[in-house]
Amino acid sequence: MQLYSFFNSSTSYRVRIALALKGLDYDYRGVNIRVGEQKADDYQSMNPSKGVPLLLDDEGNRLSQSMAIIDYLDETHPEPRLLPAEPLARARVLELANAIACDMHPVNNLRILGYLKNKLGVSEEQKNDWYRHWTAEGFTAVEALLERHGHGSYCFGEAPTLADCCLVPQVANAERMGCDLSAYPRVMAVYQHCQRQPAFQQAAPSRQPDFIA
């Protein structure tokens, strides 16, 4: 398999966590989205969304959305499962994962922040206020979901799920952006537990071949 990734992309980070948890080997292909490599014609021909991650499996199939990629990996390499088989447990994991993947990440990703600053002319302070606002909105909801349905060292028990794959990169981004996360003790407890686990360490931005300090 080949994974087109950027070290600091939270969506790529999700997929790297899933691959590491499943013990799957892949060739890492760095795509520097800060300088626009994702817009190159040869890359667009593979991924019309002009983003990362992009997975090419060992049969030549291409997938370009992190949630679809992880679902595909869970079906084709089901151990360990990241989405429970039991319907309500699966729905709870998806509920929390999508609170991050659908509500938080899309409004705070690199191209949105770039559009705010470069096209709409907002100041750096206004851009940061935007980021902090949507981070607080999102993690307030995630914290409530964890308090209501979460349990164990991970989001849902003593084994990682898709929810943890989504939570860890989003917290890492928020920390990098200087957000105050003290109001989310359950979120941070899960994050800190994950940070001590080998698969999550292997997937961390600083461990990737395209890491930029």
Side-chain angles (χ1 to χ4, degrees):
M1 289 192 289
Q2 299 173 10
L3 180 67
Y4 289 79
S5 172
F6 183 59
F7 78 98
N8 226 19
S9 156
S10 58
T11 50
S12 298
Y13 194 175
R14 294 173 195 162
V15 173
R16 296 196 306 262
I17 292 169
L19 288 163
L21 287 168
K22 292 177 178 293
L24 297 174
D25 293 328
Y26 58 93
D27 293 329
Y28 189 102
R29 306 294 177 89
V31 180
N32 190 336
I33 61 176
R34 288 180 182 168
V35 300
E37 289 181 359
Q38 75 278 15
K39 298 176 184 177
D41 290 343
D42 58 346
Y43 187 74
Q44 279 193 61
S45 69
M46 295 191 295
N47 183 4
S49 297
K50 298 182 288 186
V52 288
L54 172 69
L55 182 78
L56 275 64
D57 73 6
D58 49 14
E59 296 180 0
N61 298 306
R62 297 172 183 165
L63 285 169
S64 63
Q65 292 292 329
S66 64
M67 303 295 270
I69 291 170
I70 295 172
D71 182 64
Y72 177 69
L73 293 173
D74 223 35
E75 293 299 315
T76 55
H77 301 84
E79 294 300 327
R81 287 210 68 87
L82 300 177
L83 281 163
E86 194 277 318
L88 183 57
R90 179 186 177 91
R92 292 298 184 203
V93 169
L94 286 169
E95 180 182 32
L96 194 144
N98 284 318
I100 295 169
C102 298
D103 292 348
M104 294 182 71
H105 171 261
V107 295
N108 275 347
N109 69 14
L110 182 63
R111 60 184 174 182
I112 297 302
L113 298 179
Y115 190 86
L116 287 171
K117 188 170 182 181
N118 300 325
K119 296 294 185 180
L120 300 184
V122 306
S123 68
E124 185 73 12
E125 181 179 357
Q126 288 172 319
K127 184 195 76 171
N128 291 337
D129 284 345
W130 168 282
Y131 192 99
R132 286 190 290 266
H133 171 78
W134 294 115
T135 294
E137 288 280 311
F139 277 138
T140 297
V142 170
E143 183 75 12
L145 289 172
L146 287 173
E147 289 177 354
R148 189 173 301 169
H149 304 299
H151 55 93
S153 301
Y154 293 98
C155 290
F156 298 99
E158 298 306 323
T161 65
L162 174 63
D164 303 283
C165 294
C166 292
L167 182 145
V168 166
Q170 206 64 40
V171 173
N173 276 359
E175 288 191 328
R176 180 168 52 85
M177 293 293 287
C179 297
D180 180 4
L181 303 178
S182 60
Y184 320 112
R186 178 66 181 138
V187 167
M188 295 309 296
V190 171
Y191 175 72
Q192 289 158 5
H193 174 75
C194 290
Q195 292 293 82
R196 296 190 292 270
Q197 309 311 310
F200 287 85
Q201 294 171 353
Q202 179 184 333
S206 62
R207 297 281 295 274
Q208 307 317 304
D210 62 339
F211 174 68
I212 304 167

